[in-house]
């Protein structure tokens, strides 16, 4: 994990060896934070595995996200939701964009799509 001001963070990313970049997935969670995880570790993969275990297809999954670790999960589901406070990458892959988390965006989305309110 790297934490720095945006300009310092970009310099750190550029200084990471190619071998490391090939082995690990780098995700910019915020303008100040980059996380590195094993290339196979993704929230979307976890959602996919759980869905398979309980018999739920991807078209029945709602992926709600705000940061870089959640892009694949938002893309994976039948309904992808980018939160208003999210990074542009997440909002760009979502089917819809809703209010910020602190403004009740997740609850509003569940009310609308799950409960039909």
């Amino acid at each position: 994990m790297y934490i720095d001001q945006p300009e310092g963070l970009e310099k750190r990313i550029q200084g990471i060896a190619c071998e490391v970049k090939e082995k690990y997935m780098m995700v910019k969670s915020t303008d100040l934070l980059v996380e590195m995880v094993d290339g196979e570790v993704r929230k979307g993969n976890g959602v996919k595995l759980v869905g398979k275990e309980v018999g739920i297809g991807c078209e029945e999954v709602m992926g709600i996200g705000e940061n870089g670790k959640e892009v694949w999960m938002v893309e994976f589901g039948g309904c992808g939701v980018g939160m208003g406070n999210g990074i542009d990458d997440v909002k760009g892959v979502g089917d819809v964009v809703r209010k910020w988390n602190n403004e009740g965006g997740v609850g509003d989305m569940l009310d609308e799509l799950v409960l039909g309110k």
Side-chain angles (χ1 to χ4, degrees):
M1 180 181 300
Y2 291 104
I3 301 173
D4 203 340
Q5 295 300 314
E7 56 279 353
L9 199 56
E10 289 303 320
K11 288 179 186 175
R12 287 182 182 268
I13 292 169
Q14 291 171 4
I16 297 172
C18 290
E19 296 83 17
V20 173
K21 290 179 181 177
E22 290 172 4
K23 183 174 181 181
Y24 297 98
M25 178 176 66
M26 295 187 348
V27 178
K28 193 171 185 181
S29 301
T30 70
D31 289 339
L32 306 174
L33 175 67
V34 168
E35 299 177 59
M36 294 172 49
V37 296
D38 183 291
E40 296 300 314
V41 176
R42 294 193 174 109
K43 289 183 177 184
N45 286 343
V47 171
K48 184 178 179 179
L49 288 171
V50 170
K52 186 175 180 180
E53 285 291 318
V54 298
I56 297 173
C58 67
E59 67 281 350
E60 298 176 85
V61 172
M62 181 186 302
I64 302 173
E66 64 182 353
N67 68 52
K69 294 183 294 187
E70 297 162 342
V71 169
W72 197 83
M73 180 177 63
V74 171
E75 286 180 312
F76 170 78
C79 178
V81 182
M83 300 308 300
N85 58 304
I87 63 172
D88 288 341
D89 288 348
V90 175
K91 292 190 278 188
V93 300
D95 299 305
V96 295
V97 176
R98 287 297 185 258
K99 295 187 287 189
W100 286 50
N101 290 339
N102 293 346
E103 297 172 345
V106 172
D108 288 350
M109 193 69 216
L110 295 174
D111 282 345
E112 180 183 332
L113 292 179
V114 177
L115 301 177
K117 291 183 180 180

